[in-house]
């Protein structure tokens, strides 16, 4: 186990170096931040060069990359060109909002998908199955920005039950503010998970060991919980784990629609403004998080399914 | 100031059919139908007209003002301030709050009147700038007397040393201020005594008094600005409001400062700026009554028109939009081709239909607010026969192929481009529209790598032709990818050598005439900014340049 984890961590370093190189190059190939910083003025070429030098963007690219990597190793990703604060500090300051939203969406999705998937599979071909599959299809098909705006229109503008956007002040308002973005983000995920769980359950229900268990006279609930569900959950756990990464990175649209001050919004704004340090810090951090999540998923699978063996 | 046509920075407008609201087809066509969904159920119309004598709109001046600050006013920002140090940032949208926290050296009011005491304008002493008076000893030396008894929010006194420290910091390479270039003509600031300073210029700067009215001249404290975290954790100014809290990407909270030195006091207890990047979410917040003031797009007019709690104000913007023509590449290197383009576009139709009437044609790249604008000039006449004649005179075989670059991410720009293409193709062009992302667009623009035509929008916060013409039309300047005319170059240099504004105006007229004849670009229209305003706001001026002056405004409840 320890050797496996160490090998995976070593491989992760290579991935992180690759990610850092990729983000460094792509950002520099796609526009000049100095132009954007000065876009509201009429700078001369000399003015532009002076600011570029002050921001150390006039140095050769290899030198800039070495500086970036040397800093990154110490956790120093430089200073944001716009915020004038350390880039990693800016990213980390938004992380609680993103994690809060992602976690809430994740819990919402699990609470919705697991019972719906089970009921749908057990009532295969019936009205309830049809209804849950229809809802799942709609959930997958609705773009998040559209669903978010519809929810805002109904629950915030018309009924005024919930706030339109923002994180709210205090615990109660904070929880109320979380509902609409979490539902918006979680719906598509819940739909995916529900469909996957349903098909996994159907496959498991048709297996010989289920027939054997029933023939032995076990109660339906026991068969479901101890035999069917345990086997059906294996692909679900794999996808559910990987979907955490999707939730972290896929919340950009939801963060914009709900004015949620998270990492996704920060990164998108920073890409638009070519705020290199922020983008580099955020991409490396998110890549590291995803690597850790994948590792955790592998370890959980081993615990759940003894047939899975750890190999490099 | 090349600015993207998104959010509330630049108002691009779409056509709305009928006064009672959009049709179903329009709803589906514009804004993904969301604005239309929000419009459902609000049939009445209420659009407030512009008030007052100047270009600013005066909101709801009726009612009895409170004697003490009270209530909260919530303002939507499309862009995060990113940093509250006035010397470290440079975005037009920051003007919405900077004037509340800081005081500028000189004062230009919401109607764009500079308080300089000249030509019947009010005296600096009557304004809210920090300078009491000033005079030029010679063209390179400006002596300025400061108002006395002013302190920053934390008690630090404002004096001559403050001004010296501010401009020294602004030019410090360590700060890497994006505004440094605006004040690079300042060679040094000499402290004479506590309240008198002398500015020594390295060259004549005829626009400096206006530049002192905002942005880089929102004065920061000498000692306070040296504190670690100034701009992010601590901020102090001399304006009527002090910063209570700033949460990046979320909100900025200001509170009335009882120590404000000006004759007009803050009457709203709290100004809450909420960062709401999405257009439709801002609209929803307005309709839900959570936001009192926000700029809106024209496809959002209908939902707000019927709301009894909101009014809409239309304000002319300093921004001019139009087409830049690359005179260095074929076929737009041919003057007849450029003139053919200029006369082929039916601007009145574009304004009436695509722009919904929310725009004003302009003959040159100056808004009517700009020093250098000449209202005796006429925009290029729409004359397809003349355009076709110019094209024939060009000696090129038709159809003449043109490339036309626009910015991505805005369907309204695309609609505008489609209309222009239609008009151009009708007289013998074959126009290819190309869409680019903003950062690469401006890079390519500056280095002359865009096509024959590119969309461009520029205001110019100093409201002086020097701001736009110099960098757009002088050879080799930052926003001039290829146009070169020796006479224009000489005139642009010449206008920077004198403080005589009459002489400068005469030079502007000469430049205007050359540019119209040479057609390096086709300035089309002055944009209109639309503001949705809660009816609970009183006595607030909405300025064309977004530099709000909050003292004197008040709210119900």
């Amino acid at each position: 186990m320890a050797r496996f984890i160490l090998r995976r961590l070593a491989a992760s370093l290579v991935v992180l170096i690759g990610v850092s190189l990729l983000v460094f190059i792509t950002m520099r190939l796609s526009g000049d931040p100095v132009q954007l910083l000065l876009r509201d003025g009429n700078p001369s070429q000399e003015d532009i060069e002076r600011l570029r030098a002050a921001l150390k963007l006039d140095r050769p690219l290899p030198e800039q990359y070495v500086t970036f990597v040397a800093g990154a190793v110490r956790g120093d990703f430089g200073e944001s060109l716009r915020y004038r604060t350390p880039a990693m500090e800016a990213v980390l300051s938004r992380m609680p909002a993103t994690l809060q939203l992602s976690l809430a969406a994740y819990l919402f999705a699990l609470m919705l998908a697991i019972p719906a998937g089970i009921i749908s599979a057990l009532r295969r071909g019936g009205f309830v199955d049809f209804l849950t599959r229809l809802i799942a299809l709609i959930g997958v098909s609705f773009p998040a920005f559209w669903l978010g705006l519809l929810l805002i229109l109904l629950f915030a503008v018309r009924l005024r039950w919930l706030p339109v956007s923002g994180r709210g002040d205090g615990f109660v308002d904070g929880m109320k503010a979380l509902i609409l973005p979490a539902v918006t983000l979680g719906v598509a995920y819940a739909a995916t998970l529900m469909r996957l769980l349903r098909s996994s359950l159907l496959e498991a229900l048709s297996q010989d060991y289920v027939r054997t268990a029933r023939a032995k006279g076990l109660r339906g609930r026991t068969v479901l919980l101890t035999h069917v569900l345990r086997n059906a959950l294996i692909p679900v756990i794999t996808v559910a784990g990987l979907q955490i990464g999707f939730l972290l990175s896929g919340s950009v649209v939801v963060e914009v629609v709900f004015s949620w001050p998270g990492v996704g919004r920060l990164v998108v704004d920073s890409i638009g403004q070519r705020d290199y340090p922020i983008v580099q810090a955020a991409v490396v951090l998110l890549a590291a998080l995803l690597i850790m999540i994948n590792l955790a998923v592998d370890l959980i699978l081993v615990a759940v399914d003894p047939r899975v063996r750890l190999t490099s | 100031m090349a600015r993207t046509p998104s959010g509330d920075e630049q108002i691009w407008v779409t056509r709305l059919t009928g006064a009672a609201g959009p049709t179903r087809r329009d709803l589906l066509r514009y804004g993904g139908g969301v604005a239309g969904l929000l419009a459902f159920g609000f049939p009445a119309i209420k659009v407030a007209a512009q008030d007052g004598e100047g270009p600013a709109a005066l909101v709801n001046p009726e009612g009895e003002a409170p004697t003490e600050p009270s209530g909260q006013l919530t303002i939507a920002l499309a862009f995060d301030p990113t940093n509250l140090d006035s010397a470290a940032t440079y975005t037009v949208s920051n003007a919405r709050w900077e004037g509340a926290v800081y005081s500028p050296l000189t004062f230009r009011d919401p109607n764009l009147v500079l308080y300089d005491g000249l030509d019947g304008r009010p005296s600096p002493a009557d304004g809210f700038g920090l300078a009491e008076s000033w005079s030029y000893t010679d063209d390179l030396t400006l002596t300025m007397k400061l108002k006395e008894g002013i302190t920053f929010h934390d008690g630090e006194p404002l004096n001559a040393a403050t001004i010296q420290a501010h401009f020294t910091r602004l030019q410090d390479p360590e700060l890497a201020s994006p505004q440094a270039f605006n004040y690079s003509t300042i060679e040094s600031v000499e402290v004479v005594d506590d309240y008198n300073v002398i500015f020594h210029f390295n060259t004549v700067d005829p626009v400096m008094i206006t530049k002192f009215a905002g942005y880089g001249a929102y004065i920061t404290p000498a000692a306070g600005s040296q504190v670690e975290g100034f701009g992010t954790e601590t901020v102090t100014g001399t304006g009527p409001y002090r910063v209570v809290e700033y949460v990046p990407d979320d909100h900025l909270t200001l509170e009335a400062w009882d120590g404000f030195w000006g004759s007009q006091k803050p009457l709203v207890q709290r100004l809450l700026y909420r960062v709401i990047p999405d257009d439709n979410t801002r609209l929803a917040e307005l309709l839900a009554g959570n936001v009192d003031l926000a700029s809106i797009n024209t496809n959002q007019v209908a939902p707000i028109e019927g709301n009894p709690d909101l009014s809409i104000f239309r304000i002319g913007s300093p921004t001019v939009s139009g087409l830049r023509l690359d005179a260095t590449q074929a076929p737009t290197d041919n003057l007849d081709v450029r003139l053919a383009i200029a006369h082929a576009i039916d601007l009145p139709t574009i304004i009436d239909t695509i722009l919904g009437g929310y725009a004003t044609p302009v003959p040159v790249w100056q808004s009517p607010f700009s020093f250098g604008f000449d209202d005796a000039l006429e925009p290029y006449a729409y004359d397809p026969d003349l355009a076709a004649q110019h094209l024939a005179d060009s000696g090129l075989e038709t159809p003449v192929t043109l490339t036309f670059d626009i910015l991505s991410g805005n369907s309204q720009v695309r609609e505008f481009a489609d209309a222009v293409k239609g008009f151009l193709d009708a007289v013998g062009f074959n126009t290819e529209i190309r869409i680019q992302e903003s950062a690469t667009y401006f890079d390519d623009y500056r280095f002359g790598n865009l096509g024959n035509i590119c969309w461009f929008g520029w205001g110019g916060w100093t409201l002086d032709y020097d701001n736009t013409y110099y960098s757009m039309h002088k050879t080799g300047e930052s926003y001039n990818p290829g146009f070169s005319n020796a006479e224009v170059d000489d005139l642009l240099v010449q206008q920077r050598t004198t403080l005589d504004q009459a002489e400068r105006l005469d030079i502007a007229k000469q430049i205007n005439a050359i540019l119209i004849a040479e057609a390096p670009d086709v300035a089309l229209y002055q944009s209109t900014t639309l503001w949705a305003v809660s009816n609970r706001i009183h006595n607030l001026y909405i300025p064309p340049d977004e530099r709000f002056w909050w003292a004197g405004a008040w709210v119900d409840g």
Side-chain angles (χ1 to χ4, degrees):
Chain A
M1 173 77 86
R3 182 179 293 178
F4 170 79
I5 293 173
L6 283 174
R7 278 183 183 162
R8 284 290 297 268
L9 289 177
S12 303
L13 269 181
V14 178
V15 173
L16 281 178
I17 291 169
V19 166
S20 71
L21 191 60
L22 202 62
V23 68
F24 180 87
I25 292 171
T26 49
M27 286 303 292
R28 276 153 183 82
L29 284 177
S30 57
D32 181 2
V34 177
Q35 294 293 323
L36 294 167
L37 283 171
L38 297 179
R39 70 180 180 184
D40 283 341
N42 56 340
S44 66
Q45 189 57 38
E46 197 179 78
D47 296 322
I48 290 169
E49 295 307 327
R50 195 178 299 125
L51 183 57
R52 184 171 287 120
L55 295 170
K56 299 183 174 63
L57 296 171
D58 60 337
R59 309 283 171 81
L61 281 184
E63 184 186 330
Q64 286 187 48
Y65 181 69
V66 169
T67 307
F68 159 54
V69 171
V73 168
R74 301 191 308 271
D76 176 8
F77 286 79
E79 195 174 75
S80 160
L81 305 182
R82 296 178 303 141
Y83 290 93
R84 306 303 180 104
T85 54
M88 185 52 88
E89 188 181 302
V91 174
L92 290 176
S93 71
R94 268 70 160 191
M95 194 52 92
T98 293
L99 289 177
Q100 184 192 21
L101 176 58
S102 301
L103 186 65
Y106 194 69
L107 291 176
F108 166 76
L110 290 180
M111 286 192 298
L112 192 69
I114 291 175
I118 292 170
I119 293 169
S120 183
L122 294 178
R123 300 273 189 275
R124 184 185 184 185
F127 177 72
V128 174
D129 182 30
F130 170 76
L131 194 65
T132 49
R133 281 192 295 147
L134 182 68
I135 291 170
L137 186 66
I138 292 170
V140 171
S141 310
F142 261 43
F145 74 91
W146 179 249
L147 177 64
L149 288 169
L150 286 181
L151 292 176
I152 286 174
L153 177 64
L154 180 62
F155 293 104
V157 177
R158 290 283 165 191
L159 301 172
R160 306 215 173 178
W161 290 350
L162 297 167
V164 174
S165 65
R167 287 186 78 187
D169 291 327
F171 181 76
V172 175
D173 285 347
M175 286 297 110
K176 286 165 85 172
L178 187 58
I179 294 173
L180 292 184
V183 168
T184 305
L185 184 61
V187 158
Y189 175 53
T192 307
L193 211 57
M194 194 280 281
R195 285 152 60 103
L196 183 68
L197 181 59
R198 177 183 177 276
S199 58
S200 276
L201 281 170
L202 288 176
E203 189 185 338
L205 284 167
S206 65
Q207 296 297 313
D208 291 343
Y209 62 82
V210 174
R211 195 179 305 117
T212 306
R214 281 177 177 153
K216 282 165 64 181
L218 291 178
R219 290 168 56 202
R221 179 177 292 183
T222 309
V223 173
L224 178 69
L225 294 178
T226 58
H227 295 276
V228 178
L229 206 51
R230 183 162 180 165
N231 286 291
L233 277 178
I234 292 167
V236 176
I237 289 171
T238 309
V239 173
L242 295 176
Q243 289 279 20
I244 295 176
F246 159 77
L247 284 174
L248 283 172
S249 58
S251 59
V252 175
V253 173
V254 176
E255 287 181 358
V256 170
V257 169
F258 288 95
S259 309
W260 196 263
V263 177
R265 228 176 90 193
L266 176 71
V267 173
V268 168
D269 287 348
S270 300
I271 289 171
Q273 297 298 318
R274 299 300 184 270
D275 195 340
Y276 300 158
I278 294 262
V279 179
Q280 287 165 180
V283 169
V284 170
L285 181 69
L286 287 173
L289 268 176
L290 284 175
I291 288 168
M292 298 308 289
I293 288 167
N294 281 338
L295 182 58
V297 168
D298 285 349
L299 297 176
I300 290 170
L301 276 177
V302 172
V304 172
D305 186 354
R307 292 172 300 176
V308 178
R309 293 283 174 268
L310 294 177
T311 66
S312 57
Chain B
M1 166 186 345
R3 296 162 65 176
T4 56
S6 60
D8 60 354
E9 286 286 296
Q10 171 99 14
I11 303 303
W12 282 84
V13 289
T14 56
R15 171 174 170 265
L16 298 175
T17 54
T23 64
R24 281 182 62 193
R25 189 173 172 185
D26 286 327
L27 299 183
L28 291 171
R29 190 174 173 199
Y30 300 117
V34 172
L37 285 166
L38 291 167
F40 179 76
F42 296 118
I45 299 168
K46 184 176 181 226
V47 178
Q50 191 169 306
D51 202 351
E53 293 180 0
L58 176 58
V59 174
N60 202 9
E62 305 83 16
E64 191 174 339
T67 52
E68 293 293 322
S70 63
Q72 174 174 296
L73 201 162
T74 306
I75 305 115
L77 294 177
F79 304 97
D80 186 51
T82 66
N83 190 298
L84 304 184
D85 179 354
S86 64
T89 58
Y90 187 19
T91 57
V92 170
S93 62
N94 276 1
R96 296 182 189 182
W97 61 266
E98 276 183 325
V101 175
Y102 297 102
S103 302
L105 259 189
T106 62
F107 185 68
R108 194 171 73 190
D109 74 10
N111 276 314
L112 310 178
V113 175
L114 185 68
Y115 282 41
D116 59 2
L118 301 175
D119 301 329
R121 291 188 290 271
S123 155
D126 297 331
F128 301 99
L130 297 170
E132 174 85 19
S133 61
W134 59 82
S135 63
Y136 278 93
T137 311
D138 56 53
D139 284 358
L140 298 176
T141 313
L142 174 71
T143 302
M144 185 173 275
K145 178 176 168 45
L146 302 173
K147 289 171 182 166
E148 297 184 19
I150 296 174
T151 66
F152 286 85
H153 300 145
D154 63 353
E156 181 180 334
L158 178 125
N159 52 36
T162 311
I163 307 304
Q164 184 188 48
H166 176 84
F167 286 101
T168 303
R169 196 168 76 89
L170 195 69
Q171 298 292 349
D172 185 350
E174 275 295 301
L175 183 67
S177 170
Q179 302 201 63
F181 72 88
N182 272 327
Y183 302 89
S184 59
T185 53
I186 299 174
E187 182 71 36
S188 63
V189 182
E190 178 187 343
V191 173
V192 178
D193 56 37
D194 273 1
Y195 295 104
N196 285 282
V197 291
I198 298 176
F199 288 90
H200 296 282
F201 298 101
N202 51 37
T203 183
V204 178
D205 191 334
V207 195
M208 186 51 81
I209 296 299
T210 307
K211 290 180 189 171
F212 279 154
Y215 300 102
Y218 280 123
I219 301 300
T220 52
S225 64
Q226 300 305 310
V227 174
E228 182 74 21
F230 182 78
T232 54
E233 294 159 28
T234 66
V235 181
T236 55
T238 55
Y241 287 85
R242 62 185 184 85
V243 174
V244 174
E245 185 181 43
Y246 169 50
V247 178
D249 276 342
D250 195 57
H251 69 271
L252 167 67
T253 308
L254 310 182
E255 240 177 29
W257 179 44
D258 57 11
F260 180 57
W261 52 273
S263 58
Q264 204 170 25
K265 301 297 180 187
L267 296 177
V268 180
Q269 179 61 33
R270 181 173 287 226
L271 298 180
L272 174 64
Y273 293 85
R274 289 188 52 201
V275 183
I276 307 173
D278 185 74
D279 292 354
N280 290 310
T281 309
R282 282 200 299 281
L283 176 61
E285 291 281 19
L286 278 163
L287 295 176
N290 301 328
V291 162
D292 297 307
L293 181 70
S295 54
I296 57 168
N297 296 326
T298 44
N299 61 354
Q300 297 178 324
V301 167
I304 293 172
E305 276 181 338
N307 191 306
D309 300 323
L310 298 169
S311 298
I312 295 174
F313 290 82
R314 304 166 179 169
I315 319 289
S317 154
T319 299
V320 169
S321 296
L323 309 174
R324 297 226 68 190
L325 311 179
D326 189 341
T328 64
Q329 62 172 302
T332 37
D333 57 348
N334 185 313
L335 176 61
D336 275 309
V337 169
R338 299 201 296 273
L339 289 172
I341 292 169
H343 287 289
I345 299 168
D346 185 355
L347 181 59
T349 298
I350 289 179
I351 289 177
D352 287 346
T353 56
I354 297 172
L355 304 179
Y358 297 118
T360 307
V362 288
V364 290
W365 220 289
Q366 304 291 325
S367 80
F369 307 140
S370 176
F371 182 77
F373 178 82
D374 186 352
D375 56 13
L377 297 173
E378 290 288 330
Y380 291 108
Y382 169 56
D383 188 338
D385 294 335
L386 180 59
Q389 185 58 51
H390 274 299
L391 202 52
D393 292 345
S394 73
L396 300 172
E397 191 177 330
T398 56
V400 175
T401 300
L402 293 173
T403 48
F404 179 11
D405 288 313
I406 60 172
L407 280 164
S408 66
N410 192 313
S411 59
Q412 293 157 346
V413 173
R414 177 61 202 252
E415 200 175 342
F416 163 81
D418 283 338
V420 169
K421 171 182 163 57
F423 288 123
L424 294 178
D425 291 357
V427 299
F429 288 106
N430 175 24
T431 313
E432 178 198 354
I433 295 174
R434 305 185 304 193
I435 303 172
Q436 287 206 46
E437 195 262 350
S438 65
T440 50
Y441 187 87
F442 291 122
D443 259 13
D444 285 345
Y445 170 77
R446 206 167 66 76
F447 294 111
N449 295 329
L450 291 180
N452 298 112
I453 306 174
C454 71
W455 171 89
F456 196 64
W458 197 345
W461 66 277
T462 61
L463 307 183
D464 188 292
Y465 72 93
D466 175 76
N467 191 240
T468 44
Y469 279 177
Y470 199 90
S471 48
M472 282 176 72
H473 298 115
K474 186 167 182 300
T475 304
E477 279 300 317
S478 54
Y479 283 113
N480 179 12
F483 176 70
S484 184
N485 180 295
E487 198 178 350
V488 169
D489 286 353
D490 289 344
L491 288 167
L492 284 169
V493 170
Q494 192 185 333
Q495 62 87 23
R496 281 193 171 185
T497 62
T498 177
L499 298 177
D500 183 338
Q501 301 300 341
E503 184 185 345
R504 292 187 65 241
L505 190 58
D506 182 57
I507 291 172
K509 289 180 177 176
Q510 294 177 59
I511 296 173
N512 286 339
I514 297 170
L515 294 178
I516 287 176
E518 288 290 314
D521 38 47
V522 185
L524 292 173
Y525 57 87
Q526 174 202 14
S527 304
T528 299
T529 309
L530 297 174
W531 290 89
V533 184
S534 165
N535 293 334
R536 58 190 286 274
I537 300 179
H538 292 264
N539 207 38
L540 174 68
Y541 280 95
I542 302 180
D545 60 356
E546 303 190 18
R547 294 171 345 113
F548 281 85
W549 176 245
W550 297 100
W554 50 282
V555 291
D556 291 328

